[in-house]
Amino acid sequence: MKKNILITGGAGFIGSHVVRLFVNKYPDYQIINLDALTYAGNLENLSDIDSKANYTFIKGDITDLAFVSNLFKNYKFEGVLHLAAESHVDRSISDPLAFIMTNIVGTVNLLNAAKECWANDMNGKKFYHISTDEVYGSLGKTGKFTETTSYDPRSPYSASKASSDHLVRAYFHTYKLPVVLSNCSNNYGANQFPEKLIPLVINNIKNSKSLPIYGKGDNIRDWLFVEDHALAIDSIYHDGKIGETYNIGGDNEWTNLDLVKKLCDIMDKKLNREMGSSQRLITFVKDRAGHDQRYAIDASKIKKELGWKPSIQFEEGFEKTIDWYLQNSDWMNNILSGDYEKFYEQQYTNR
Ligand code: NAD
Ligand code: TYD
């Protein structure tokens, strides 16, 4: 009998990399990808594994408690990897409620359904909550976030993720639900929705459009290649200790301005453009409200306890990422035209 494993948000950026890894690596798992296909969910991200026998896609919304409970009753999941979320800080500033609903209420619905489903036997079960380093707030010039850094979320996005993290830990302490958590830094790679800095900048450079830099561009983020995050998730899901939290990061800090300049230079070379021409597209725009200054992760716990470390360094990661976006212009064009939302209908009505 295959084990049914639920992955939520599997049609999104990170979720799609996790689904692909699990479907290919674990033939004894039946991977159920539950995704509401919001603007950020795109089944084209999974077209290469869509027809595999150990993969099932279900369209559904984690804010719908009755739906979520029934799903657990039908599939009797052995494990849950929870990635579904509203994930963009700028959107959380203009529409916080969507973040409260999906990130908090949706997470509680999953926790409740798992608690009911596993009430008689928690043995071997695992509820893995995937979260962000943004829950820890903002750093000054020095220091790094560790697993014991106090929570200090400052955007509606990070506050909603912090709240969900607290609820996951509350279910561990109160109901003994077997949980594990991770908090990761900024990811980059293939299939990221072009509202986020790196795909937005790559696409704008390609089309010679302006590159918006918020404020002075001196905010710092720690960037991790998405496939390395997926490998860390695999390792935590299988070997992470129940009740524990693991920080995941790339040891790869960049100011936004330096990062964008780096992408400009790589793109000038790849597109045979005059060196420096893309940097002239940089445009400083109004700063994000409450813009966190610096994030940096101390990932020594996962390195020491689980033996994970990033396998791809930034030069290789940025090159791979740029190549992917240049070679997959249909993917980007489908998103920009809205056609990606029709992909699901076509895929499933033709069966
Ligand atoms: P994403 O926005 O690309 O994907 C989110 C997915 O969740 C989409 O497929 C969307 O359709 C789905 N979804 C949204 N609301 C839903 C709902 N109500 N019911 C069911 N599905 C729903 O996000 P991402 O960047 O892949 O992030 C995935 C997870 O990783 C999130 O929990 C995020 O907080 C966390 N995270 C992201 C980063 C990052 O750099 N992107 C870093 C650390 C942690
Ligand atoms: P983003 O990719 O939105 O991730 P997050 O806000 O979760 O870190 O943004 C990364 C950084 O880039 C952040 O400091 C905001 C900045 N940024 C810009 O300067 N211009 C942009 O157009 C975007 C989308 C982000």
Side-chain angles (χ1 to χ4, degrees):
M1 261 288 270
K2 280 186 184 169
K3 284 183 176 179
N4 285 341
I5 306 292
L6 175 66
I7 300 184
T8 71
F13 167 48
I14 301 169
S16 60
H17 290 275
V18 176
V19 166
R20 176 175 299 101
L21 178 67
F22 273 57
V23 166
N24 287 333
K25 188 168 171 186
Y26 300 109
D28 291 344
Y29 291 169
Q30 186 66 33
I31 300 298
I32 290 93
N33 171 13
L34 167 64
D35 198 295
L37 297 182
T38 68
Y39 79 95
N42 182 354
L43 287 176
E44 270 188 76
N45 296 348
L46 290 166
S47 50
D48 57 324
I49 56 119
D50 180 63
S51 55
K52 296 237 174 178
N54 66 332
Y55 171 69
T56 307
F57 172 71
I58 294 177
K59 187 177 183 210
D61 191 331
I62 58 168
T63 67
D64 180 344
L65 177 59
F67 165 76
V68 171
S69 317
N70 275 330
L71 198 69
F72 273 76
K73 280 187 194 120
N74 290 340
Y75 283 90
K76 306 203 170 23
F77 300 114
E78 296 279 315
V80 178
L81 290 92
H82 175 35
L83 293 103
E86 287 292 338
S87 69
H88 191 41
V89 173
D90 292 327
R91 284 181 191 254
S92 83
I93 295 169
S94 47
D95 180 16
L97 191 59
F99 287 70
I100 307 308
M101 291 309 294
T102 289
N103 299 358
I104 306 179
V105 176
T107 301
V108 174
N109 286 344
L110 290 165
L111 288 166
N112 275 332
K115 176 166 87 66
E116 260 173 49
C117 182
W118 300 340
N120 296 327
D121 183 13
M122 301 256 184
N123 227 346
K125 313 290 194 298
K126 208 173 239 184
F127 187 108
Y128 178 8
H129 180 62
I130 284 89
S131 191
T132 166
D133 61 353
E134 305 192 21
V135 298
Y136 298 120
S138 181
L139 291 165
K141 283 192 171 40
T142 58
K144 293 187 173 197
F145 300 131
T146 73
E147 288 80 1
T148 55
T149 301
S150 300
Y151 273 34
D152 184 21
R154 295 147 50 97
S155 73
Y157 165 65
S158 54
S160 68
K161 290 297 290 188
S163 175
S164 63
D165 292 8
H166 288 318
L167 285 157
V168 172
R169 291 194 186 101
Y171 273 65
F172 169 67
H173 290 290
T174 311
Y175 306 111
K176 308 279 175 271
L177 196 76
V179 309
V180 66
L181 300 89
S182 61
N183 296 83
C184 186
S185 62
N186 286 58
N187 284 213
Y188 70 94
N191 298 123
Q192 189 168 29
F193 198 84
E195 63 188 354
K196 305 275 168 61
L197 182 68
I198 289 186
L200 183 143
V201 161
I202 294 173
N203 192 47
N204 284 12
I205 295 174
K206 186 179 160 225
N207 296 307
S208 300
K209 284 165 70 178
S210 70
L211 312 176
I213 303 271
Y214 298 165
K216 292 193 284 222
D218 59 359
N219 305 72
I220 293 174
R221 298 290 181 267
D222 167 29
W223 293 94
L224 177 70
F225 190 56
V226 65
E227 291 174 32
D228 275 328
H229 188 190
L231 291 171
I233 288 174
D234 179 15
S235 168
I236 292 167
Y237 179 71
H238 290 99
D239 301 322
K241 263 177 67 188
I242 298 293
E244 292 286 316
T245 296
Y246 299 86
N247 278 358
I248 311 168
D251 279 328
N252 182 30
E253 289 183 50
W254 290 81
T255 66
N256 292 337
L257 186 57
D258 284 347
L259 173 67
V260 171
K261 283 182 175 171
K262 178 83 190 167
L263 296 174
C264 285
D265 292 349
I266 304 176
M267 294 277 289
D268 281 347
K269 271 198 210 126
K270 287 197 187 288
L271 299 172
N272 289 321
R273 289 183 182 167
E274 182 205 336
M275 209 55 191
S277 60
S278 296
Q279 286 202 23
R280 289 197 284 277
L281 298 169
I282 290 174
T283 310
F284 292 93
V285 299
K286 190 168 175 272
D287 207 355
R288 171 186 280 171
H291 197 170
D292 286 342
Q293 184 58 35
R294 176 171 166 258
Y295 304 142
I297 279 274
D298 176 347
S300 46
K301 177 175 172 180
I302 183 174
K303 288 179 182 167
K304 200 164 144 240
E305 292 185 15
L306 304 183
W308 172 90
K309 62 176 186 336
S311 66
I312 303 269
Q313 299 311 310
F314 73 86
E315 286 99 348
E316 189 188 350
F318 290 164
E319 292 264 350
K320 269 176 163 255
T321 301
I322 289 172
D323 287 344
W324 189 86
Y325 286 99
L326 291 178
Q327 284 156 17
N328 289 275
S329 43
D330 283 355
W331 180 92
M332 183 64 81
N333 294 338
N334 283 345
I335 285 187
L336 298 176
S337 66
D339 281 354
Y340 71 110
E341 286 169 319
K342 293 182 197 136
F343 186 85
Y344 165 77
E345 258 169 71
Q346 280 162 8
Q347 283 288 300
Y348 287 84
T349 45
N350 291 342
R351 284 182 182 181

